[in-house]
Amino acid sequence: MTTTAVYALAAVLVGGPAVMLAPFALARRSAEEHADQTAAVIREADRIALRWIAEEENAR
């Protein structure tokens, strides 16, 4: 086996699994970012709802 073939085989054996797992890592990062954004929207909606409830109670 030539030196080039050895390097190519090593790159496939080492890089192959990493390349195959990369989509899962990207999907996880995307899901975490989405969860953070959704949590921020929910927190803001809670603040708005609580403010509205407080204003309704003060108006009585």
Side-chain angles (χ1 to χ4, degrees), residues 43-60:
R43 280 192 301 273
E44 183 62 23
D46 283 347
R47 280 190 216 114
I48 291 169
L50 290 173
R51 192 177 315 130
W52 180 79
I53 291 169
E55 289 173 1
E56 288 293 314
E57 287 180 356
N58 290 336
R60 291 182 193 180

Side-chain angles (χ1 to χ4, degrees), residues 8-30:
L9 179 60
V12 168
L13 292 176
V14 172
V19 169
M20 289 185 287
L21 294 174
F24 295 105
L26 294 174
R28 180 175 177 164
R29 183 185 310 163
S30 176

